[in-house]
Amino acid sequence: DPSFQGKKKVTELKKDNKVKALFKHERNYPAQLDFERGEIITLVDQTYVEPGMLKGRKQTDGQVGIFPRDYVDRYEEDVYDDF
């Protein structure tokens, strides 16, 4: 059931996890974060600030803001450390 998998994936994200932007996001109001596709964002809060929204810090310039969960996916940097 895809809807269950989606929910499960969300709960795996924790504070200090990194996520990677799947799409460009332009903020609709000041608290939101602007980012480009492919940017890495570190989560600064484990819980949703509001439904479907995460809070994170951009690796590139340190800006902090909220953004839709649907725009990012978990970033697994450890995968490449073994080679």
Side-chain angles (χ1 to χ4, degrees):
D1 177 9
S3 65
F4 172 73
Q5 285 179 339
K7 288 189 181 79
K8 184 166 183 264
K9 195 162 149 188
V10 168
T11 58
E12 287 169 2
L13 292 172
K14 293 184 173 62
K15 188 175 184 292
D16 297 330
N17 278 167
K18 288 182 169 63
V19 294
K20 186 173 187 173
L22 302 173
F23 312 101
K24 177 178 179 162
H25 179 255
E26 293 180 354
R27 64 180 174 220
N28 299 315
Y29 50 92
Q32 287 192 343
L33 196 60
D34 273 329
F35 50 77
E36 298 295 324
R37 183 172 180 252
E39 282 201 75
I40 307 303
I41 300 161
T42 303
L43 299 182
V44 296
D45 205 325
Q46 190 165 322
T47 55
Y48 286 125
V49 214
E50 52 188 76
M53 301 293 277
L54 296 170
K55 186 173 186 179
R57 176 181 292 111
K58 282 190 341 189
Q59 236 179 24
T60 48
D61 59 13
Q63 279 187 46
V64 174
I66 64 175
F67 53 90
R69 169 63 180 93
D70 296 344
Y71 276 66
V72 299
D73 203 359
R74 188 161 180 178
Y75 176 61
E76 300 284 0
E77 55 186 343
D78 299 339
V79 175
Y80 305 105
D81 291 345
D82 298 334
F83 295 104

